Amino acid sequence: MYSKLQYISQGKTTEEQLNNMMRILDNGGKWIQLRFKNAEEKTLLALGEQVKRKCESYQATFIINDNVELAAHLDADGVHLGLTDSGIKEARLLLGNKKIIGGTANTLQQVLQRIEEKCDYIGLGPYAFTATKEKLSPIIGLKGYREIMHTLKSLYCTIPVYAIGGIKAEDIRLIKQTGIYGIAVSGLLTEENIPKELIIQLNKTLYEFA
């Protein structure tokens, strides 16, 4: 079973990235997605090697954002691909069937496309405005999640769908009630002074409320 709480890394430097990911691992996080846009290849490789070792020691899932070749080179647990990134089919050929491949979606049509492409999970968003993304897709909101999840249920689709984008702690109970499997967050945990307490709170809400 996949962790219902995903952390997507933040940081303008290697040190910030590593420190932020280690804070999450040290405080109970079990899913790390390394997202370091515009980093040089050597920098990203060195950081990825460090984070992979740390995730292994913490028994946490390690996902690479966008870069299929890096995920294969590092033998990461998987990769997350945006709609304009490498194709799911090509990623599967390179990574094999045992690796996790997640895909981004913003609409019901894109969710169904991802299911057809045989993604292992879907990151559906944005839930609300977020400054993390430079080119933000249309906001989905609770109403959009309810409609999409209702349709997936009627089609007997059981793929894990994660809400992402601008999520605050007080939103999670209502988000879970739409049928969403879990959440993927970045700023919510990066900016938290006491991440252990927040991670415990988030996991409690995510696992207790259907």
Side-chain angles (χ1 to χ4, degrees), residues 191-203:
E191 298 161 13
E192 175 60 39
N193 292 324
I194 312 175
K196 184 173 184 177
E197 293 181 7
L198 180 56
I199 288 171
I200 290 172
Q201 175 193 337
L202 296 179
N203 278 322

Side-chain angles (χ1 to χ4, degrees), residues 33-164:
Q33 181 187 142
L34 172 56
R35 184 179 187 272
F36 195 7
K37 294 292 187 180
N38 303 319
E40 293 184 359
E41 187 175 341
K42 286 198 323 184
T43 300
L44 194 56
L45 175 59
L47 177 60
E49 288 173 340
Q50 292 184 74
V51 179
K52 180 182 182 328
R53 290 194 296 270
K54 296 297 185 182
C55 284
E56 286 176 343
S57 66
Y58 283 84
Q59 296 183 313
T61 301
F62 178 44
I63 301 293
I64 299 291
N65 180 266
D66 292 353
N67 196 323
V68 180
E69 290 77 15
L70 180 62
H73 181 78
L74 292 174
D75 192 27
D77 293 306
V79 67
H80 183 92
L81 299 174
L83 287 161
T84 59
D85 298 324
S86 303
I88 303 298
K89 184 177 180 180
E90 291 78 9
R92 184 66 71 195
L93 287 172
L94 184 59
L95 297 177
N97 292 325
K98 294 184 179 179
K99 297 299 184 180
I100 301 167
I101 299 180
T104 298
N106 176 245
T107 65
L108 174 60
Q109 182 179 1
Q110 290 170 357
V111 169
L112 296 175
Q113 171 191 330
R114 289 313 206 182
I115 293 171
E116 180 69 21
E117 292 170 339
K118 301 189 184 305
C119 274
D120 295 303
Y121 73 88
I122 293 169
L124 178 61
Y127 164 71
F129 174 78
T130 173
T132 304
K133 277 272 192 176
E134 292 182 3
K135 297 179 180 179
L136 196 65
S137 298
I139 290 169
I140 296 174
L142 287 172
K143 182 175 182 290
Y145 282 129
R146 287 193 196 99
E147 292 173 351
I148 290 173
M149 297 309 298
H150 176 76
T151 300
L152 293 182
K153 185 176 181 180
S154 70
L155 295 173
Y156 301 100
C157 294
T158 58
I159 187 170
V161 178
Y162 289 80
I164 183 172

